[in-house]
């Protein structure tokens, strides 16, 4: 059985706050091991990355029509009073055609800093023209020096208008600032989320979407304060899991009102109740069983946090005649996603894995039936190069089942979400995808003949890759004295030079890793390929010997004997023709040597060519001798390594051959670079 590997994620997923906790019954030892794994991962989760968010809010005169009741500042302050998280820092920029108010990102966990930020939000009025580029640029630079992740939230009606502005800036300058900041945010991975507030202008959402889209941020349209509240909570899913539910949204008569709601038995880590009205709230309360909690009232809204709550909660509030009241129930619950898969993960192979969730105590959570319809989305991202791998998800009783196929090795993180906001994407786990290196497919060697021309071999028949990668080949070493080699694609071209053995060494790569491969090579001679050749050669030698033996009858017995018969002298003459000379020498004209006046008993051929010492040495003419014979013939004798023929017959070493007029002696040097013809003719 394969050992299962559990990878626990340090970040928290959203939109699943309705999960009921249920301890899974496991074997005792397995339970201990699982709890240890969860505990170690939870400790790592405490070191969360800071999240820096700057709200850039349009406070131009055009926003007076969109937000006549100044709902945006009210909602932002409500949001700051209800959102929690020690690693969340919020900043603020109010702009028209100038910067009206600003505040660098501060921790919203500290009451003093949160109050100062709320005062900054309250200080801005709606007036003047609209310069979105100016506000966006200021929001971006407010986060200079901030560590951790960054986000800009832009609230506007989506229109830049500087026609009546006295600042001297033009709409073209504002547009250039927008393009610059969008490019920087895209490069740095900082999303810009845009919210078009109100509904009196057509196309404001589309105008803002061109800003958010390239950076990976979402574009929203909020036509009411209630919609804006939901959108703002949707931005903070990275570190928290929030469930925002509207309990009441009505216009009431004057008097005391009471509304009941059910929590469905969900145990939240934190539960808050938010009252939001178009008029000042006089009194409000939250009733849980026998206990009542009085919220903190701040003008048009009130907030209360609940520690213990039952299945039923009642809210009460006092209203004036015609007063509009909206009540939100905001629940938060920490959960930990767990990725489970079997064995190792290799690229180019479909990998199956499961995703389930545990609570703060490491207990596994079931998914209730009312959450099974959520549209889950997931993808892996390569940590080194950022490439994305799609994931196919299926819902099951045990959780989520995923399938992915990785086409490159490396470290990957799984990101999971259920919402349409790009920031509602969470790093779930890190896995390592392995790459199989190329390997020898066969131990077969290459065998070719030394007399063959260019031979072609498919290297894919000698090497293979278990992942199915296309292989590249690079030549490293080869026996150069035996063959020359060229690689074209996956084909190996070999040209043999002489027989012998050796290895061709290649660097074989699949694009992510490489190995050294060796192919044994043997270049065979004629004798190795054709064993019958030695017998044929023996027959040829026997035939040559017999032919030479027959010619010996015409040869004088010994040169010494001819030297003693002084009455026999040379006659005729020798014409010499160099039919081939080395490339670096000039051609030699025909030469003539008369013999009748020579009275010695022999002539060393080399003495006749003293004017050409290099050619004489090359042909070894000093080892060739002529003797006079009867009937105007001469006897030829040599002991050289040159190839000598008389007519069409081969002349053997240390043997005498008699030649007459019209005979031709052919002499070829051992290396074949020089050839000489000697024609024995009579005197005319």
């Amino acid at each position: 059985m394969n050992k299962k590997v559990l990878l626990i994620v340090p970040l928290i997923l959203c939109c699943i706050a309705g999960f009921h906790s249920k301890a899974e019954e496991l074997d005792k030892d397995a339970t201990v091991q699982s709890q240890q794994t969860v505990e170690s991962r939870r400790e790592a989760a405490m070191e969360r990355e800071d999240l820096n968010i700057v709200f850039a809010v349009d406070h131009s005169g055009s926003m007076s029509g969109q937000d006549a009741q100044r709902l945006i500042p009210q909602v932002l302050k409500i949001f700051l009073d209800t959102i929690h998280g020690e690693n969340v820092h919020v900043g603020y920029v109010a702009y028209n055609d100038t910067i009206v108010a600003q505040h660098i990102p501060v921790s919203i966990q500290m009451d003093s800093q949160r109050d100062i930020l709320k005062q900054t939000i309250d200080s801005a009025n709606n007036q003047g023209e609209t310069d979105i580029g100016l506000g966006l640029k200021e929001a971006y630079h407010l986060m200079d020096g901030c560590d951790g992740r960054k986000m800009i939230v832009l609230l506007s009606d989506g229109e830049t208008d500087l026609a009546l502005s006295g600042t001297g800036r033009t709409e073209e300058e504002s547009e250039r600032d927008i393009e610059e900041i969008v490019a920087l945010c895209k490069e740095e991975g900082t999303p810009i989320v845009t919210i078009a507030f109100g509904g009196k202008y057509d196309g404001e959402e589309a105008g803002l979407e061109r800003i958010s889209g390239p950076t990976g941020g979402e574009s929203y349209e909020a036509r009411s304060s209630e919609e804006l509240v939901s959108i703002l909570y949707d931005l903070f899913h990275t570190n928290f899991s929030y469930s925002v539910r509207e309990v009441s949204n009505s216009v009431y008569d004057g008097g005391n009102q009471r509304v009941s709601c059910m929590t469905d038995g969900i145990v939240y880590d934190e539960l808050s109740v938010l009252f939001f009205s178009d008029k000042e709230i006089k009194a409000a309360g939250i009733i849980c069983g026998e206990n009542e909690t009085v919220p903190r009232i701040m003008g048009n809204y009130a907030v209360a946090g609940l520690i213990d709550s039952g299945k039923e909660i009642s809210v009460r509030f006092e209203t004036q005649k015609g007063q509009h009241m909206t009540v939100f129930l905001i629940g938060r619950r920490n959960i930990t996603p767990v990725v489970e898969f079997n064995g190792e993960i290799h690229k180019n192979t479909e990998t199956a894995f499961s995703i389930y969730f545990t609570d703060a105590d490491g207990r596994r959570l079931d998914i209730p039936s009312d959450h099974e319809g959520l549209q889950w989305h997931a993808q892996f991202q390569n940590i080194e190069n950022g490439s994305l791998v799609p994931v196919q998800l299926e819902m099951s009783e045990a959780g989520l089942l995923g399938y992915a196929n990785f086409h490159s090795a490396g470290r990957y993180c799984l990101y999971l979400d259920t919402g349409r906001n790009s920031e509602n994407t969470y790093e779930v786990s890190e896995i390592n995808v392995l790459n199989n290196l190329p390997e020898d497919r066969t131990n077969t060697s290459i065998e070719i003949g030394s007399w063959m021309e260019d031979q072609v071999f498919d290297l894919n028949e000698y090497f293979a890759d278990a992942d199915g990668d296309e292989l590249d080949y690079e030549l490293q070493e080869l026996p150069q004295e035996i063959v020359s080699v060229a690689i074209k694609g996956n084909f190996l071209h070999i040209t043999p030079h002489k027989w012998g053995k050796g290895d061709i060494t290649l660097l074989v790569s699949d694009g992510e890793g490489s190995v050294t491969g060796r192919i044994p090579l043997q270049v065979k001679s004629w004798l190795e390929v054709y064993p019958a050749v030695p017998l044929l050669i023996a027959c040829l030698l026997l035939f040559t010997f017999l032919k030479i033996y027959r010619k010996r009858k015409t040869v004088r017995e010994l040169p010494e004997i001819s030297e003693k018969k002084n009455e026999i002298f040379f006659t005729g003459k020798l014409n010499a023709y160099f039919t081939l000379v080395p490339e670096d020498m000039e051609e030699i004209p025909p030469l003539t040597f008369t013999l009748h006046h020579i009275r010695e008993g022999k002539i060393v051929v080399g003495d006749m060519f003293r004017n050409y010492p290099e050619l004489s040495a090359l042909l070894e003419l000093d080892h060739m001798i002529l003797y006079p014979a009867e009937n105007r013939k001469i006897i030829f004798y040599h002991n050289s390594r040159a190839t000598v023929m008389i007519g069409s017959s081969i002349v053997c070493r240390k043997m005498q051959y008699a030649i007459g007029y019209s005979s031709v002696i052919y002499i070829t040097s051992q290396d074949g670079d020089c050839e000489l013809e000697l024609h024995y003719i009579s005197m005319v």
Side-chain angles (χ1 to χ4, degrees), residues 626-665:
L626 301 176
Y627 299 94
E630 296 177 348
N631 300 323
R632 299 182 179 180
K633 293 184 178 181
I634 59 177
I635 294 174
F636 178 80
Y637 174 90
H638 85 102
N639 188 24
S640 70
R641 291 172 295 179
T643 301
V644 183
M645 297 182 66
I646 298 177
S648 60
S649 299
I650 299 175
V651 176
C652 297
R653 297 172 61 188
K654 297 183 180 181
M655 295 187 67
Q656 302 177 51
Y657 294 86
I659 61 175
Y661 290 150
S662 301
S663 297
V664 181
I665 302 174

Side-chain angles (χ1 to χ4, degrees), residues 440-454:
D440 288 343
R441 174 174 289 179
T442 175
N443 293 324
T444 304
S445 61
I446 293 178
E447 297 181 355
I448 58 176
S450 59
W451 65 92
M452 293 181 176
E453 297 181 353
D454 187 16

Side-chain angles (χ1 to χ4, degrees), residues 74 77-84 118 233 270-276 281 284 286 293-306 328 330:
Q74 290 279 16
K77 290 188 295 180
I78 292 171
F79 182 73
L80 293 177
D81 284 330
T82 55
I83 196 73
H84 296 275
K118 288 163 60 179
Y233 277 101
E270 182 179 294
L271 187 64
S272 300
V273 179
L274 167 63
F275 299 84
F276 186 72
I281 299 175
I286 302 99
T293 301
V294 178
R296 182 167 50 130
I297 300 175
M298 291 160 283
N300 289 28
Y301 71 94
V303 177
L306 306 180
F328 294 97
I330 304 169

Side-chain angles (χ1 to χ4, degrees), residues 1-157:
M1 174 182 261
N2 291 331
K3 184 179 179 181
K4 292 185 176 180
V5 182
L6 298 181
L7 297 178
I8 312 256
V9 193
L11 300 178
I12 299 174
L13 187 68
C14 89
C15 295
I16 47 178
F19 286 1
H20 292 281
S21 63
K22 178 181 179 182
E24 184 177 7
E25 297 179 359
L26 300 172
D27 181 81
K28 181 178 180 181
D29 293 339
T31 302
V32 173
Q33 180 179 2
S34 176
Q35 289 176 347
Q36 291 174 347
T37 304
V38 171
E39 188 65 32
S40 65
R41 294 299 181 182
R42 184 179 302 112
E43 291 176 357
M46 297 304 173
E47 300 178 359
R48 292 174 181 163
E49 190 177 20
D50 286 346
L51 176 61
N52 301 282
I53 299 178
V54 173
F55 288 95
V57 182
D58 185 352
H59 277 271
S60 63
S62 61
M63 288 297 293
S64 296
Q66 302 283 23
D67 187 19
Q69 297 179 333
R70 292 181 53 82
L71 297 177
I72 292 178
Q74 290 279 16
V75 171
L76 290 179
K77 290 188 295 180
I78 292 171
F79 182 73
L80 293 177
D81 284 330
T82 55
I83 196 73
H84 296 275
E86 65 279 0
N87 61 327
V88 177
H89 297 74
V90 178
Y92 181 78
V93 172
Y95 70 92
N96 43 37
D97 54 350
T98 61
I99 300 301
V100 179
Q102 62 179 349
H103 201 292
I104 62 172
V106 295
S107 173
I108 57 176
Q109 279 295 103
M110 301 178 63
D111 292 341
S112 59
Q113 292 187 348
R114 188 170 65 249
D115 289 342
I116 294 175
L117 183 60
K118 288 163 60 179
Q119 292 174 10
T120 302
I121 294 173
D122 259 339
S123 66
N125 295 319
N126 295 334
Q127 60 184 4
E129 302 301 297
T130 307
D131 191 342
I132 293 179
L134 178 66
L136 197 61
K137 190 171 185 177
E138 186 67 22
Y140 174 83
H141 288 295
L142 276 183
M143 293 185 288
D144 290 345
C146 293
D147 296 327
R149 298 188 308 107
K150 302 175 182 179
M151 181 199 303
I152 297 174
V153 180
L154 176 65
L155 287 89
S156 176
D157 57 11

Side-chain angles (χ1 to χ4, degrees), residues 477-653:
E477 297 179 5
L478 75 155
Q480 297 181 0
E481 70 280 0
I482 299 176
V483 294
S484 58
V485 172
I487 295 178
K488 299 178 181 178
N490 58 292
F491 291 99
L492 181 67
H493 296 254
I494 302 178
T495 303
H497 299 320
K498 68 175 185 178
W499 60 271
K501 293 183 178 180
D503 289 334
I504 297 177
T505 304
L506 304 169
L507 187 66
V508 186
S509 172
D510 62 0
E512 297 188 40
S514 58
V515 296
T516 299
R518 288 181 173 83
I519 303 178
L521 171 69
Q522 182 179 8
V523 180
K524 295 184 176 181
S525 64
W526 277 99
L527 295 179
E528 292 175 301
V529 178
Y530 302 104
V533 170
L535 179 60
L536 177 61
I537 294 175
C539 294
L540 291 175
L541 290 175
L542 179 60
F543 173 78
T544 303
F545 175 77
L546 293 175
K547 188 173 182 180
I548 294 173
Y549 178 76
R550 286 196 300 269
K551 289 183 175 291
R552 290 184 63 185
K553 295 179 180 181
T554 61
V555 179
R556 287 178 54 86
E557 294 182 43
L558 289 172
E560 288 79 5
I561 296 175
S562 63
E563 292 184 67
K564 294 178 181 179
K565 296 180 179 181
N566 295 327
E567 67 275 9
I568 301 174
F569 302 102
F570 289 103
T571 63
K573 63 180 179 178
L574 284 176
N575 289 337
Y577 304 94
F578 283 96
T579 58
L580 180 65
V581 295
E583 293 182 356
D584 57 346
M585 296 186 64
E586 297 181 356
E587 294 185 2
I588 307 300
L591 305 173
T592 299
F593 302 95
T594 57
L595 305 178
H596 64 86
H597 63 281
I598 299 174
R599 297 305 177 188
E600 288 81 2
K602 66 178 180 181
I603 299 174
V604 177
V605 177
D607 293 339
M608 302 167 62
F609 294 88
R610 292 302 179 194
N611 294 332
Y612 306 96
E614 293 182 4
L615 297 177
S616 177
L618 192 61
L619 296 169
E620 299 187 28
L621 299 182
D622 287 340
H623 296 277
M624 301 179 188
I625 303 173
L626 301 176
Y627 299 94
E630 296 177 348
N631 300 323
R632 299 182 179 180
K633 293 184 178 181
I634 59 177
I635 294 174
F636 178 80
Y637 174 90
H638 85 102
N639 188 24
S640 70
R641 291 172 295 179
T643 301
V644 183
M645 297 182 66
I646 298 177
S648 60
S649 299
I650 299 175
V651 176
C652 297
R653 297 172 61 188

